[in-house]
Amino acid sequence: MQTDEVVELWSIRTDSANSFHKLSQTLVAGGNVTDFELSSDGRAVFLADAEADERFELWSAPVDDSAAPVKLSGTLIAGGDVQFLRVAGDWAAYVADAAVAGRDELWSVPADGHEAPTRRSDTVPAGRDVSSFRFTPSGTRLVYRANLGPVDRWDLHTTTAFGITSHVQLTNRNPFAPNPYSVRGYTLSPDSQRVAFTVTPDANWTGAAMEQSLSDPQTTPEILLEVSGSDAAEYFLGYLPDSRGLHTDAILEVGDRREVFLLDEALFVDGFASGDRTAWSASVP
């Protein structure tokens, strides 16, 4: 609003069209705000290369402009950057190569910056990364995708969003399984109890969509769909608002006809442990 081709963060009162507040500080030459989210305690958490061009860090400021922005991401390693952010309640989480250049890890921090950021991901070996994450809708846990084992296998893990860390691997939990898979995409149930995900299997499998419990992970997740006629990228999952099922659109047969399917949780009566998918299969046309 003040400098051409410079992206800054502003707020405005909804009851006054003339009440503008600039929330981002004066940015270094070439600097921009690239993303932001709002916290429950009235702050805007934003990503900007404010102090050095192309070095992106995490900041927050009150939406009423009552205080100057504070840096949330702490001191980054030389060459380090914050990659992306999410906010739940009054906590922010982000992926950054904050400790080791080129090694992206998951961190969380209070939105007002009253505590230093803490690493939430499990130990990330050299050559590995955290590629994405989600807060559970409850805001108490994080689910993230990372290749902490074999470099070409991406698994899902969950950890606490704040406080004492508690790491649990959600996928490929059976060390004796002959067919490991790699997670492509995932979605969390609105009740924060389950995660559904699509996978890229090894050469012995067709593509599959699977579901795992977040509160009581089983050795083998439930298989929701086996996709015989398409690449694993050709189907997508989403939970119903009441968490009692999923919807998906997929090409389930050879060809190019895409259809929408409903996976009804009410038909799923055997729990996560048994692996009996008869009820699910009957619900898919």
Side-chain angles (χ1 to χ4, degrees), residues 36-41 43-47 58-60 72-73 82 84-95 106-120 133 135 139 142 160-162:
F36 78 95
E37 292 192 10
L38 300 179
S39 67
S40 62
D41 57 353
R43 303 185 71 88
V45 178
F46 61 96
L47 185 61
L58 197 65
W59 302 81
S60 81
L72 299 182
S73 49
V82 176
F84 46 88
L85 72 102
R86 292 180 183 270
V87 174
D90 55 2
W91 280 80
Y94 59 96
V95 167
L106 179 60
W107 304 77
S108 73
V109 64
D112 63 2
H114 73 269
E115 295 179 11
T118 58
R119 181 166 39 214
R120 310 314 296 181
F133 73 93
F135 274 102
L142 295 157
T160 48
F162 44 83

Side-chain angles (χ1 to χ4, degrees), residues 207-262:
M210 309 174 80
E211 188 180 43
Q212 176 67 285
S213 170
L214 294 176
S215 58
D216 184 24
Q218 301 299 305
T219 301
T220 302
E222 284 290 335
I223 296 177
L224 306 179
L225 288 174
E226 294 181 353
V227 183
S228 59
S230 65
D231 180 79
E234 294 295 328
Y235 56 98
F236 307 90
L237 294 169
Y239 276 97
L240 301 180
D242 62 1
S243 300
R244 292 188 58 79
L246 296 104
H247 58 84
T248 181
D249 62 281
I251 301 172
L252 296 186
E253 304 295 338
V254 176
D256 58 1
R257 186 178 71 180
R258 181 177 296 278
E259 298 176 283
V260 176
F261 299 88
L262 176 67

Side-chain angles (χ1 to χ4, degrees), residues 103-106 121-126 128-130 146-148:
R103 187 180 302 175
D104 292 336
E105 300 174 294
L106 179 60
S121 49
D122 207 347
T123 302
V124 177
R128 312 299 199 271
D129 290 293
V130 174
N147 58 343
L148 304 185

